[in-house]
Amino acid sequence: MQKKFVKCLVEFDEIGNKIPKQITFNDRVFIVDKVFEVKNCASFKVGGIGERYKIRINGNITYIFFEEGKWFVEAK
């Protein structure tokens, strides 16, 4: 596994929470169907600590991380 930084289109709600809407990974765009959970957490697979977003993309549950102003995923 490796840390792969991605482009993320984000919406902000009325109190400033970040809501990821779209992720660009390897030149492919993925729409975030739903955000289930946000919590401060470490990525034990690739290292790093920040906000972990549990999301659904195309019916699959996965995670995206926000660390020091950048978004990343755990990639093979």
Side-chain angles (χ1 to χ4, degrees), residues 45-72:
K45 294 178 183 176
V46 298
I49 189 163
E51 295 174 331
R52 183 182 77 176
Y53 290 72
K54 182 178 180 181
I55 59 175
R56 182 176 64 209
I57 295 175
N58 294 331
N60 298 306
I61 303 298
T62 190
Y63 297 97
I64 185 169
F65 296 83
F66 185 74
E67 174 189 52
E68 298 179 358
K70 297 183 278 187
W71 294 91
F72 73 88

Side-chain angles (χ1 to χ4, degrees), residues 35-50:
V35 176
F36 292 101
E37 174 183 74
V38 181
K39 68 180 188 176
N40 290 325
C41 188
S43 169
F44 297 110
K45 294 178 183 176
V46 298
I49 189 163

Side-chain angles (χ1 to χ4, degrees), residues 3-47:
K3 185 186 289 190
K4 174 74 173 171
F5 290 99
V6 295
K7 182 190 267 187
C8 187
L9 180 65
V10 179
E11 179 179 285
F12 290 86
D13 68 12
E14 63 279 352
I15 60 171
N17 294 317
K18 295 179 289 296
I19 305 163
K21 294 294 189 177
Q22 177 178 301
I23 298 165
T24 304
F25 176 75
N26 290 340
D27 296 324
R28 292 182 58 202
V29 175
F30 298 92
I31 304 299
V32 177
D33 301 325
K34 183 172 179 151
V35 176
F36 292 101
E37 174 183 74
V38 181
K39 68 180 188 176
N40 290 325
C41 188
S43 169
F44 297 110
K45 294 178 183 176
V46 298

